[in-house]
CSV table of all heavy atoms in Angstrom, one decimal:
chain,number,residue,atom,x,y,z
A,567,HIS,N,1.0,6.5,-9.8
A,567,HIS,CA,2.1,5.6,-9.5
A,567,HIS,C,3.2,5.8,-10.5
A,567,HIS,O,2.9,5.9,-11.8
A,567,HIS,CB,1.7,4.2,-9.3
A,567,HIS,CG,0.6,4.0,-8.5
A,567,HIS,ND1,0.6,4.3,-7.2
A,567,HIS,CD2,-0.6,3.4,-8.8
A,567,HIS,CE1,-0.7,3.9,-6.6
A,567,HIS,NE2,-1.3,3.5,-7.5
A,568,TYR,N,4.5,5.8,-10.1
A,568,TYR,CA,5.5,5.8,-11.1
A,568,TYR,C,5.7,4.6,-11.9
A,568,TYR,O,6.2,4.6,-13.1
A,568,TYR,CB,6.8,6.2,-10.3
A,568,TYR,CG,8.1,6.1,-11.3
A,568,TYR,CD1,8.3,7.3,-12.0
A,568,TYR,CD2,8.9,5.1,-11.5
A,568,TYR,CE1,9.4,7.3,-13.0
A,568,TYR,CE2,9.9,5.2,-12.4
A,568,TYR,CZ,10.1,6.3,-13.1
A,568,TYR,OH,11.1,6.4,-14.1
A,569,ALA,N,5.3,3.5,-11.4
A,569,ALA,CA,5.3,2.2,-12.3
A,569,ALA,C,4.5,2.4,-13.5
A,569,ALA,O,5.0,1.9,-14.7
A,569,ALA,CB,4.7,1.1,-11.4
A,570,ASP,N,3.4,3.2,-13.6
A,570,ASP,CA,2.7,3.5,-14.7
A,570,ASP,C,3.4,4.3,-15.7
A,570,ASP,O,3.4,4.1,-16.9
A,570,ASP,CB,1.3,4.2,-14.3
A,570,ASP,CG,0.5,3.2,-13.6
A,570,ASP,OD1,0.8,2.8,-12.4
A,570,ASP,OD2,-0.7,3.1,-13.9
A,571,ILE,N,4.2,5.3,-15.2
A,571,ILE,CA,5.1,6.1,-16.0
A,571,ILE,C,6.1,5.4,-16.6
A,571,ILE,O,6.5,5.5,-17.9
A,571,ILE,CB,5.7,7.3,-15.2
A,571,ILE,CG1,4.5,8.2,-14.7
A,571,ILE,CG2,6.7,8.1,-15.9
A,571,ILE,CD1,5.2,9.3,-13.7
A,572,TRP,N,6.8,4.4,-15.9
A,572,TRP,CA,7.9,3.6,-16.3
A,572,TRP,C,7.3,2.7,-17.6
A,572,TRP,O,7.9,2.6,-18.6
A,572,TRP,CB,8.3,2.7,-15.3
A,572,TRP,CG,9.3,1.6,-15.7
A,572,TRP,CD1,9.1,0.4,-16.3
A,572,TRP,CD2,10.8,1.7,-15.5
A,572,TRP,NE1,10.1,-0.3,-16.4
A,572,TRP,CE2,11.3,0.4,-16.1
A,572,TRP,CE3,11.7,2.6,-15.0
A,572,TRP,CZ2,12.5,0.2,-16.1
A,572,TRP,CZ3,13.1,2.2,-14.9
A,572,TRP,CH2,13.5,1.0,-15.4
A,573,ASN,N,6.2,2.0,-17.3
A,573,ASN,CA,5.6,1.2,-18.4
A,573,ASN,C,5.3,2.1,-19.6
A,573,ASN,O,5.3,1.6,-20.8
A,573,ASN,CB,4.5,0.5,-17.9
A,573,ASN,CG,4.9,-0.7,-16.9
A,573,ASN,OD1,5.9,-1.3,-17.0
A,573,ASN,ND2,4.0,-1.0,-16.0
A,574,GLN,N,4.7,3.3,-19.4
A,574,GLN,CA,4.5,4.1,-20.7
A,574,GLN,C,5.8,4.4,-21.3
A,574,GLN,O,5.8,4.5,-22.6
A,574,GLN,CB,3.9,5.4,-20.1
A,574,GLN,CG,2.3,5.3,-19.8
A,574,GLN,CD,1.7,6.8,-19.8
A,574,GLN,OE1,2.3,7.7,-20.0
A,574,GLN,NE2,0.4,6.7,-19.5
A,575,GLN,N,6.9,4.7,-20.6
A,575,GLN,CA,8.1,4.8,-21.4
A,575,GLN,C,8.5,3.7,-22.2
A,575,GLN,O,9.0,3.9,-23.3
A,575,GLN,CB,9.2,5.1,-20.2
A,575,GLN,CG,9.2,6.6,-19.5
A,575,GLN,CD,10.1,6.7,-18.3
A,575,GLN,OE1,10.6,5.6,-17.9
A,575,GLN,NE2,10.4,7.9,-17.9
A,576,VAL,N,8.5,2.5,-21.7
A,576,VAL,CA,8.8,1.2,-22.4
A,576,VAL,C,7.8,1.2,-23.6
A,576,VAL,O,8.2,0.9,-24.7
A,576,VAL,CB,8.7,0.1,-21.5
A,576,VAL,CG1,9.1,-1.1,-22.2
A,576,VAL,CG2,9.8,0.2,-20.4
A,577,LEU,N,6.5,1.4,-23.5
A,577,LEU,CA,5.6,1.3,-24.5
A,577,LEU,C,5.8,2.3,-25.5
A,577,LEU,O,5.8,2.0,-26.7
A,577,LEU,CB,4.1,1.5,-23.9
A,577,LEU,CG,3.0,1.5,-25.0
A,577,LEU,CD1,3.0,0.2,-25.7
A,577,LEU,CD2,1.7,1.8,-24.2
A,578,VAL,N,6.0,3.5,-25.2
A,578,VAL,CA,6.4,4.6,-26.2
A,578,VAL,C,7.7,4.2,-27.0
A,578,VAL,O,7.7,4.4,-28.3
A,578,VAL,CB,6.5,6.0,-25.6
A,578,VAL,CG1,7.1,6.9,-26.6
A,578,VAL,CG2,5.3,6.4,-24.9
A,579,LEU,N,8.7,3.6,-26.2
A,579,LEU,CA,9.9,3.2,-26.9
A,579,LEU,C,9.6,2.1,-27.9
A,579,LEU,O,10.1,2.2,-29.1
A,579,LEU,CB,11.0,2.7,-25.8
A,579,LEU,CG,12.3,2.5,-26.4
A,579,LEU,CD1,13.1,3.7,-26.9
A,579,LEU,CD2,13.1,1.8,-25.3
A,580,LEU,N,8.8,1.2,-27.5
A,580,LEU,CA,8.4,0.1,-28.5
A,580,LEU,C,7.8,0.7,-29.7
A,580,LEU,O,8.0,0.3,-30.8
A,580,LEU,CB,7.5,-0.9,-27.7
A,580,LEU,CG,6.9,-2.0,-28.6
A,580,LEU,CD1,8.0,-2.9,-29.2
A,580,LEU,CD2,5.9,-2.7,-27.9
A,581,LEU,N,6.7,1.6,-29.5
A,581,LEU,CA,6.0,2.1,-30.7
A,581,LEU,C,6.7,3.0,-31.4
A,581,LEU,O,6.4,3.1,-32.8
A,581,LEU,CB,4.8,2.8,-30.2
A,581,LEU,CG,3.7,1.9,-29.2
A,581,LEU,CD1,2.6,2.9,-28.9
A,581,LEU,CD2,3.0,0.9,-30.1
A,582,THR,N,7.7,3.7,-31.0
A,582,THR,CA,8.4,4.7,-31.9
A,582,THR,C,9.8,4.1,-32.3
A,582,THR,O,10.2,4.5,-33.5
A,582,THR,CB,8.7,5.9,-31.0
A,582,THR,OG1,9.4,5.6,-29.8
A,582,THR,CG2,7.4,6.6,-30.7
A,583,GLU,N,10.4,3.3,-31.6
A,583,GLU,CA,11.8,2.9,-31.9
A,583,GLU,C,11.9,1.3,-32.2
A,583,GLU,O,12.9,0.9,-32.7
A,583,GLU,CB,12.8,3.2,-30.8
A,583,GLU,CG,12.9,4.7,-30.5
A,583,GLU,CD,13.3,5.5,-31.7
A,583,GLU,OE1,14.2,5.1,-32.5
A,583,GLU,OE2,13.0,6.7,-31.8
A,584,GLY,N,10.9,0.6,-32.0
A,584,GLY,CA,10.9,-0.9,-32.0
A,584,GLY,C,11.1,-1.2,-33.5
A,584,GLY,O,10.4,-0.6,-34.5
A,585,LYS,N,11.9,-2.3,-33.8
A,585,LYS,CA,12.1,-2.8,-35.1
A,585,LYS,C,11.1,-3.8,-35.5
A,585,LYS,O,11.0,-4.8,-34.9
A,585,LYS,CB,13.6,-3.5,-35.2
A,585,LYS,CG,14.7,-2.5,-35.1
A,585,LYS,CD,16.0,-3.2,-35.1
A,585,LYS,CE,16.1,-3.9,-36.5
A,585,LYS,NZ,17.6,-4.5,-36.6
A,586,ASP,N,10.2,-3.5,-36.5
A,586,ASP,CA,9.2,-4.3,-36.9
A,586,ASP,C,9.5,-5.3,-38.1
A,586,ASP,O,8.6,-6.0,-38.5
A,586,ASP,CB,8.0,-3.5,-37.4
A,586,ASP,CG,8.2,-2.5,-38.6
A,586,ASP,OD1,9.4,-2.7,-39.1
A,586,ASP,OD2,7.3,-1.9,-39.0
A,587,ARG,N,10.7,-5.3,-38.4
A,587,ARG,CA,11.3,-6.3,-39.4
A,587,ARG,C,12.8,-6.5,-39.1
A,587,ARG,O,13.4,-5.7,-38.5
A,587,ARG,CB,11.1,-5.8,-40.8
A,587,ARG,CG,11.9,-4.4,-41.2
A,587,ARG,CD,11.3,-3.9,-42.4
A,587,ARG,NE,10.0,-3.2,-42.2
A,587,ARG,CZ,9.3,-2.6,-43.1
A,587,ARG,NH1,9.7,-2.6,-44.5
A,587,ARG,NH2,8.3,-1.9,-42.8
A,588,PRO,N,13.4,-7.6,-39.6
A,588,PRO,CA,14.8,-7.9,-39.4
A,588,PRO,C,15.8,-6.8,-39.8
A,588,PRO,O,16.6,-6.5,-39.3
A,588,PRO,CB,15.1,-9.2,-40.0
A,588,PRO,CG,13.8,-9.9,-40.0
A,588,PRO,CD,12.8,-8.8,-40.4
A,589,SER,N,15.4,-6.3,-41.1
A,589,SER,CA,16.2,-5.2,-41.7
A,589,SER,C,15.3,-4.4,-42.7
A,589,SER,O,14.3,-4.9,-43.0
A,589,SER,CB,17.4,-5.9,-42.5
A,589,SER,OG,16.9,-6.6,-43.6
A,590,VAL,N,15.8,-3.4,-43.1
A,590,VAL,CA,15.0,-2.5,-44.1
A,590,VAL,C,14.7,-3.3,-45.4
A,590,VAL,O,13.9,-2.8,-46.2
A,590,VAL,CB,15.7,-1.1,-44.4
A,590,VAL,CG1,15.8,-0.3,-43.0
A,590,VAL,CG2,17.2,-1.3,-44.9
A,591,ARG,N,15.6,-4.3,-45.7
A,591,ARG,CA,15.5,-4.9,-47.0
A,591,ARG,C,14.2,-5.9,-47.0
A,591,ARG,O,13.7,-6.3,-48.1
A,591,ARG,CB,16.8,-5.8,-47.2
A,591,ARG,CG,18.0,-5.0,-47.5
A,591,ARG,CD,19.2,-5.8,-48.0
A,591,ARG,NE,19.5,-6.8,-47.2
A,591,ARG,CZ,20.3,-6.6,-46.1
A,591,ARG,NH1,21.0,-5.5,-46.0
A,591,ARG,NH2,20.7,-7.6,-45.2
A,592,HIS,N,13.8,-6.1,-45.7
A,592,HIS,CA,12.6,-7.0,-45.7
A,592,HIS,C,11.3,-6.2,-46.0
A,592,HIS,O,11.1,-5.1,-45.2
A,592,HIS,CB,12.5,-7.7,-44.3
A,592,HIS,CG,13.4,-8.9,-44.2
A,592,HIS,ND1,14.8,-8.6,-44.0
A,592,HIS,CD2,13.3,-10.2,-44.3
A,592,HIS,CE1,15.5,-9.8,-44.0
A,592,HIS,NE2,14.5,-10.7,-44.1
A,593,LYS,N,10.4,-6.6,-46.7
A,593,LYS,CA,9.3,-5.9,-47.0
A,593,LYS,C,8.1,-6.0,-46.2
A,593,LYS,O,7.1,-5.4,-46.0
A,593,LYS,CB,8.8,-6.1,-48.5
A,593,LYS,CG,9.8,-5.6,-49.6
A,593,LYS,CD,9.3,-5.7,-51.0
A,593,LYS,CE,10.3,-5.3,-51.9
A,593,LYS,NZ,9.8,-5.5,-53.4
A,594,VAL,N,8.1,-7.3,-45.5
A,594,VAL,CA,7.0,-7.8,-44.7
A,594,VAL,C,7.4,-7.4,-43.2
A,594,VAL,O,8.4,-7.8,-42.6
A,594,VAL,CB,6.7,-9.3,-44.8
A,594,VAL,CG1,5.5,-9.7,-43.8
A,594,VAL,CG2,6.4,-9.6,-46.2
A,595,SER,N,6.4,-6.7,-42.5
A,595,SER,CA,6.7,-6.3,-41.1
A,595,SER,C,5.6,-7.0,-40.3
A,595,SER,O,4.6,-7.4,-40.8
A,595,SER,CB,6.7,-4.7,-41.1
A,595,SER,OG,5.4,-4.1,-41.4
A,596,VAL,N,5.8,-6.8,-39.0
A,596,VAL,CA,4.9,-7.2,-37.9
A,596,VAL,C,4.3,-6.0,-37.3
A,596,VAL,O,5.0,-5.0,-37.1
A,596,VAL,CB,5.6,-8.3,-36.9
A,596,VAL,CG1,5.9,-9.5,-37.7
A,596,VAL,CG2,6.7,-7.5,-36.2
A,597,ASP,N,3.2,-6.2,-36.7
A,597,ASP,CA,2.6,-5.1,-35.9
A,597,ASP,C,3.0,-5.2,-34.4
A,597,ASP,O,2.5,-6.0,-33.6
A,597,ASP,CB,1.1,-5.2,-36.1
A,597,ASP,CG,0.4,-4.1,-35.4
A,597,ASP,OD1,1.1,-3.2,-34.9
A,597,ASP,OD2,-0.9,-3.9,-35.5
A,598,LEU,N,3.9,-4.4,-34.0
A,598,LEU,CA,4.4,-4.3,-32.7
A,598,LEU,C,3.4,-3.9,-31.7
A,598,LEU,O,3.6,-4.0,-30.4
A,598,LEU,CB,5.7,-3.6,-32.6
A,598,LEU,CG,6.9,-4.0,-33.4
A,598,LEU,CD1,8.1,-3.1,-33.3
A,598,LEU,CD2,7.2,-5.5,-33.2
A,599,ALA,N,2.4,-3.3,-32.1
A,599,ALA,CA,1.5,-2.8,-31.1
A,599,ALA,C,0.3,-3.8,-30.7
A,599,ALA,O,-0.6,-3.4,-30.1
A,599,ALA,CB,0.7,-1.5,-31.8
A,600,ALA,N,0.3,-5.0,-31.4
A,600,ALA,CA,-0.8,-5.9,-31.3
A,600,ALA,C,-0.2,-7.3,-30.9
A,600,ALA,O,1.0,-7.6,-31.2
A,600,ALA,CB,-1.8,-6.0,-32.5
A,601,PRO,N,-1.1,-8.2,-30.4
A,601,PRO,CA,-0.5,-9.5,-30.0
A,601,PRO,C,-0.3,-10.5,-31.2
A,601,PRO,O,0.3,-11.5,-31.0
A,601,PRO,CB,-1.5,-10.1,-29.2
A,601,PRO,CG,-2.8,-9.4,-29.6
A,601,PRO,CD,-2.5,-8.1,-29.9
A,602,SER,N,-0.5,-10.0,-32.5
A,602,SER,CA,-0.2,-10.9,-33.7
A,602,SER,C,1.2,-10.9,-33.8
A,602,SER,O,1.6,-12.0,-34.6
A,602,SER,CB,-0.9,-10.1,-34.9
A,602,SER,OG,-0.3,-8.8,-35.1
A,603,CYS,N,2.1,-10.2,-33.2
A,603,CYS,CA,3.6,-10.2,-33.4
A,603,CYS,C,4.1,-11.2,-32.4
A,603,CYS,O,5.3,-11.5,-32.7
A,603,CYS,CB,4.1,-8.8,-33.2
A,603,CYS,SG,4.1,-8.2,-31.5
A,604,HIS,N,3.4,-11.8,-31.4
A,604,HIS,CA,4.0,-12.7,-30.4
A,604,HIS,C,4.4,-14.0,-31.2
A,604,HIS,O,3.7,-14.5,-32.0
A,604,HIS,CB,2.9,-13.1,-29.5
A,604,HIS,CG,2.5,-11.8,-28.6
A,604,HIS,ND1,1.5,-11.8,-27.6
A,604,HIS,CD2,2.9,-10.6,-28.6
A,604,HIS,CE1,1.3,-10.7,-27.2
A,604,HIS,NE2,2.1,-9.8,-27.6
A,605,GLY,N,5.6,-14.3,-30.9
A,605,GLY,CA,6.1,-15.6,-31.5
A,605,GLY,C,6.7,-15.3,-32.9
A,605,GLY,O,7.1,-16.4,-33.4
Side-chain angles (χ1 to χ4, degrees):
H567 309 299
Y568 180 77
D570 295 57
I571 297 176
W572 174 280
N573 286 332
Q574 282 197 2
Q575 290 173 339
V576 178
L577 176 60
V578 171
L579 186 65
L580 172 68
L581 296 178
T582 58
E583 303 294 335
K585 293 179 62 177
D586 60 1
R587 66 194 78 185
S589 68
V590 294
R591 294 190 298 273
H592 287 75
K593 295 183 179 180
V594 180
S595 63
V596 296
D597 186 0
L598 298 180
S602 58
C603 69
H604 298 175

